[in-house]
Amino acid sequence: MIEFLSKELNWIDVEYWFHVLNDLSLLYIIVPFFVLEMIRYAVQKRLTKDLIFDSVANVITFGAFFVIEIILGILAVTKIYFWVYENFSLPHLPLNWITIIACVLLADFAYYWEHRMMHRIGIGWATHTVHHSSEHFNMSVAYRFGPLDAVMPIVFSLPIVMLGFDPILVLLSEVFVQVFQTLLHTEIIGKLTKPVEFIFNTPSHHRVHHGSNRQYWDKNYAGILIIWDRMLGTFEPEVEKVKYGISEPLRSNNPIKVFFHGLSRLFRKINRTQGVKNKFLVLIKPPDWEAKA
Amino acid sequence: MKSSTLLFRSLAIIIFIAGGAQLAGYLTYDTYAANEIETNHLDLEETDTTYEEGESKQGEAQDNSSDEPLLTTIELQGKWGVTYDSEDFTGTMVYDLKKEGKAINAYLVEYQDENGYGEAANGEKVLVIKKFDGKKGKGVYSVAYEGETYEVDCKITIIDEKTFQLSYDYYGYGDTETWKKL
Ligand SMILES: [Zn+2]
């Protein structure tokens, strides 16, 4: 077993496996699943115009996000990551199953903290609110991203590179976590068996995360493993029926409004806040923070 | 939950996972080094026969090397030649390996064309061997590809006292070079 786990692997194989899981899964799971969800909406007579425009807006925000991600990715990954890897890293780890599993676990843990920060810091919420602003819950919502959503992961994954993990492996692991997360955006799957619900993030746990019900705010930040939430005090089980969306509804399916509403709300808040220090604090304090008059 | 508890638990999680991976990486390297040393006392002459077979099927030699451990340890210092036959360069590059501190560094000192005519090179450092136990080693190799130079992790496997193989795999683009003692 140990021998198998520590046997050195070829990059060409590892990249192929990640390609099948990360990229091709769009074709063999995500799109078929979305079609199934649409059929279900139709059967339940919930296939409204609002839902269709919402889905279209989701895909358009993803396009915009993807362009930003590619530009940042080229800059950050090829330059900063490799520079840190060569200069500020523990001994470089070999490419084997132990390293891959550890890297995915760390990427998942980094995702937890990055996601938590996106909810609890003003500037983070300004971009992540886009993802939460849909009042529907299906696979297309997973693709609803804000303009700065690509920035936080870079900051949170650099420490993984410094721990000796290859930058490309870190990147592939991050995408893997994101793809796993994508699959949770559905109402079709109810609760899974107890052990699974205890260890893994599931559609049920993630519905809670998208809830606007008060007890569901800022809960279940997990990517793959829900145990991070259990260990760090942010777990909440799904009990009351979830109402999706944000506390201050957006009421628009205009992709431009959807994409930028968080930032424009943030700028308005900065404008009406008195004092330079307070204006700065708006960026890093929790989104519900208000300067004392 | 208190911030200090959050910090403590988070650090514990990171140390547990990354520490485990680092420990496993460290232990697996040492295990193979230990295996090799056990076979160290065997006779040198056997090595020569191993080599002649090895040379005739060079492609397989790399795969076989772990099953048939090499019987001798060698020093890497001195001049080594690598013969290339590619679009960029056909001929032999001569490297000078020097022990500097804990590492062994290789410098490109001469180009030789197919007819053996030499031309001095600029002496740039192309290889840093960070670990070497007399039979296997690891290091960083500078690989030039389409005008850019990449620093690539590489492995060294001794074939006999006059030959070693240097192999690297850079995200699927890899090669194995045969270095010959001059
Ligand atoms: Zn969220």
Side-chain angles (χ1 to χ4, degrees):
Chain A
M1 182 68 178
I2 296 289
E3 217 159 89
F4 169 75
L5 288 174
S6 61
K7 188 182 181 302
E8 196 123 7
L9 302 168
N10 287 326
W11 266 104
I12 205 153
D13 298 327
V14 174
E15 290 200 331
Y16 176 72
W17 301 328
F18 272 108
H19 173 62
V20 171
L21 293 169
N22 288 353
D23 309 330
L24 300 183
S25 57
L26 178 72
L27 301 175
Y28 64 75
I29 306 186
I30 296 169
V31 167
F33 216 94
F34 183 64
V35 171
L36 209 66
E37 285 178 314
M38 286 296 127
I39 295 170
R40 183 169 177 265
Y41 280 132
V43 171
Q44 295 179 339
K45 302 214 160 44
R46 289 162 68 197
L47 191 62
T48 57
K49 250 191 199 156
D50 180 67
L51 178 90
I52 292 164
F53 284 126
D54 181 89
S55 301
V56 171
N58 294 341
V59 175
I60 293 174
T61 62
F62 180 73
F65 160 82
F66 194 68
V67 171
I68 298 168
E69 174 92 303
I70 292 287
I71 295 167
L72 276 176
I74 290 166
L75 270 172
V77 173
T78 59
K79 304 288 178 219
I80 305 170
Y81 276 34
F82 277 99
W83 183 72
V84 167
Y85 189 56
E86 294 305 334
N87 295 294
F88 301 101
S89 160
L90 292 180
H92 293 180
L93 289 162
L95 184 69
N96 58 36
W97 279 110
I98 296 176
T99 308
I100 294 173
I101 293 166
C103 190
V104 170
L105 287 175
L106 286 172
D108 191 46
F109 190 61
Y111 178 90
Y112 171 88
W113 271 109
E114 163 227 319
H115 192 185
R116 189 163 171 171
M117 287 301 129
M118 296 264 244
H119 278 252
R120 302 305 297 157
I121 287 179
I123 181 79
W125 183 245
T127 174
H128 188 57
T129 178
V130 175
H131 180 68
H132 283 270
S133 61
S134 173
E135 288 172 14
H136 305 280
F137 197 66
N138 56 54
M139 289 277 153
S140 75
V141 175
Y143 289 90
R144 187 172 172 117
F145 284 112
L148 303 178
D149 279 9
V151 180
M152 281 276 197
I154 295 168
V155 179
F156 279 77
S157 53
L158 263 183
I160 308 179
V161 173
M162 295 167 82
L163 292 168
F165 293 87
D166 190 285
I168 300 288
L169 182 63
V170 172
L171 188 84
L172 292 171
S173 304
E174 282 182 275
V175 176
F176 179 72
V177 174
Q178 196 72 56
V179 168
F180 183 93
Q181 248 273 339
T182 301
L183 304 175
L184 305 175
H185 293 80
T186 182
E187 291 181 294
I188 292 186
I189 296 169
K191 285 197 185 183
L192 301 170
T193 58
K194 281 245 164 70
V196 173
E197 295 277 337
F198 187 80
I199 298 170
F200 290 98
N201 196 10
T202 60
S204 168
H205 296 326
H206 201 58
R207 287 194 284 272
V208 166
H209 179 70
H210 276 258
S212 62
N213 321 38
R214 186 62 191 90
Q215 73 273 27
Y216 293 159
W217 290 12
D218 300 334
K219 299 290 186 206
N220 302 1
Y221 295 115
I224 295 176
L225 296 175
I226 197 71
I227 53 172
W228 309 136
D229 282 287
R230 293 185 191 273
M231 288 164 99
L232 301 175
T234 48
F235 176 71
E236 185 69 32
E238 182 184 29
V239 181
E240 194 181 270
K241 187 170 166 49
V242 181
K243 288 193 278 294
Y244 302 104
I246 45 179
S247 54
E248 195 185 328
L250 177 62
R251 298 209 176 80
S252 169
N253 285 324
N254 176 344
I256 294 167
K257 271 194 187 157
V258 170
F259 197 60
F260 291 108
H261 83 268
L263 282 178
S264 67
R265 283 178 182 181
L266 183 77
F267 287 133
R268 262 180 275 144
K269 185 171 172 184
I270 291 171
N271 272 335
R272 69 165 189 268
T273 303
Q274 302 290 316
V276 177
K277 191 185 162 208
N278 283 335
K279 284 179 195 295
F280 173 73
L281 286 176
V282 168
L283 296 175
I284 55 166
K285 286 281 188 182
D288 49 9
W289 179 84
E290 288 289 344
K292 289 188 197 87
Chain B
M1 200 171 277
K2 276 195 298 182
S3 301
S4 58
T5 314
L6 285 176
L7 181 71
F8 178 75
R9 289 193 183 176
S10 296
L11 284 177
I13 290 166
I14 294 166
I15 290 168
F16 182 72
I17 301 170
Q22 282 288 348
L23 189 69
Y26 177 78
L27 287 179
T28 45
Y29 179 81
D30 276 9
T31 325
Y32 89 55
N35 284 340
E36 302 294 315
I37 288 158
E38 275 175 38
T39 57
N40 225 353
H41 59 277
L42 288 165
D43 210 348
L44 256 180
E45 279 182 22
E46 279 183 53
T47 324
D48 286 335
T49 42
T50 320
Y51 168 49
E52 276 161 30
E53 285 169 20
E55 197 185 35
S56 57
K57 43 175 184 176
Q58 240 178 34
E60 292 169 40
Q62 199 204 352
D63 299 324
N64 292 344
S65 58
S66 55
D67 311 335
E68 299 169 28
L70 181 81
L71 309 173
T72 179
T73 60
I74 68 155
E75 298 271 326
L76 290 176
Q77 285 96 312
K79 293 228 167 92
W80 294 78
V82 185
T83 305
Y84 298 93
D85 184 9
S86 70
E87 279 175 33
D88 301 329
F89 179 74
T90 306
T92 301
M93 290 199 190
V94 179
Y95 302 102
D96 192 8
L97 272 65
K98 295 177 185 165
K99 194 162 174 73
E100 290 169 331
K102 281 187 179 172
I104 300 166
N105 298 320
Y107 298 89
L108 174 61
V109 290
E110 192 183 339
Y111 300 102
Q112 288 177 354
D113 67 15
E114 299 121 285
N115 307 317
Y117 293 111
E119 188 188 321
N122 57 8
E124 70 176 303
K125 196 198 279 186
V126 294
L127 170 67
V128 178
I129 301 169
K130 292 174 174 170
K131 280 183 176 175
F132 181 66
D133 62 8
K135 294 168 179 300
K136 287 188 177 184
K138 286 184 178 182
V140 178
Y141 190 39
S142 303
V143 179
Y145 180 72
E146 292 188 346
E148 291 244 25
T149 305
Y150 299 90
E151 305 272 290
V152 177
D153 288 337
C154 68
K155 279 194 258 183
I156 283 162
T157 313
I158 301 297
I159 304 297
D160 65 35
E161 65 270 44
K162 290 198 161 68
T163 319
F164 70 80
Q165 283 186 331
L166 182 152
S167 55
Y168 57 90
D169 176 16
Y170 191 66
Y171 307 112
Y173 298 93
D175 197 5
T176 299
E177 294 178 354
T178 304
W179 290 48
K180 292 262 180 195
K181 187 90 193 226
L182 297 178

